[in-house]
Amino acid sequence: MGTEQSNPDLDLELLEGYLDSLGKTIVEQMFALYCQQVAIYLNDIESAQLNDSLSGWEEHCHKMKGATASVGMCQLHAQLKLLEKSTAPKEQKRELLTALKLANEQAILTFKSWLESK
């Protein structure tokens, strides 16, 4: 299927490079670590949103942005680049956080599907 190569969610060139140089087991471990860490990042982002902490919001979005880049989640990374600098009011950030959680779930499913196909 040629559609996989044009997947906007994942940096397939980066991920294929990981597979070639590190092997599938290491890539699976990297992904498992991402899944563990992202739960922490999302909790921290939510905490910053609830406390209306601009610096906390920026810091935790930045950390999650780095994690998404390391596992080739392009679309999620781009979303976090925008969120990180957001000065939206507290209520709007709650909506942004909900969208981020959904996008993260989708990115995880996309990554799992890609990895299972290898």
Side-chain angles (χ1 to χ4, degrees):
M1 293 195 328
T3 55
E4 182 181 285
Q5 292 307 314
S6 62
N7 189 327
D9 295 325
L10 299 177
D11 181 343
L12 296 174
E13 191 175 325
L14 174 76
L15 295 175
E16 295 290 346
Y18 282 167
L19 274 181
D20 292 344
S21 61
L22 302 172
K24 187 172 181 181
T25 302
I26 298 294
V27 174
E28 287 170 339
Q29 290 170 352
M30 287 172 57
F31 179 61
L33 181 62
Y34 170 81
C35 291
Q36 285 178 339
Q37 286 298 120
V38 80
I40 296 165
Y41 297 146
L42 287 169
N43 281 337
D44 289 345
I45 293 168
E46 185 167 18
S47 180
Q49 182 271 324
L50 291 170
N51 295 317
D52 207 12
S53 167
L54 188 60
S55 62
W57 174 272
E58 186 174 337
E59 175 190 348
H60 299 302
C61 285
H62 182 78
K63 286 181 182 177
M64 185 173 169
K65 182 182 77 173
T68 60
S70 69
V71 291
M73 294 179 172
C74 307
Q75 202 164 15
L76 199 54
H77 182 263
Q79 189 174 351
L80 281 154
K81 269 175 95 168
L82 297 174
L83 288 184
E84 177 182 20
K85 301 297 180 193
S86 175
T87 56
K90 185 177 176 180
E91 289 305 308
Q92 190 178 345
K93 279 187 175 165
R94 188 173 62 199
E95 293 170 20
L96 294 170
L97 178 60
T98 299
L100 177 63
K101 287 178 178 178
L102 289 171
N104 181 64
E105 287 173 22
Q106 183 58 51
I108 285 173
L109 290 174
T110 302
F111 192 104
K112 276 184 186 170
S113 173
W114 168 79
L115 195 54
E116 286 169 4
S117 74
K118 297 299 156 192

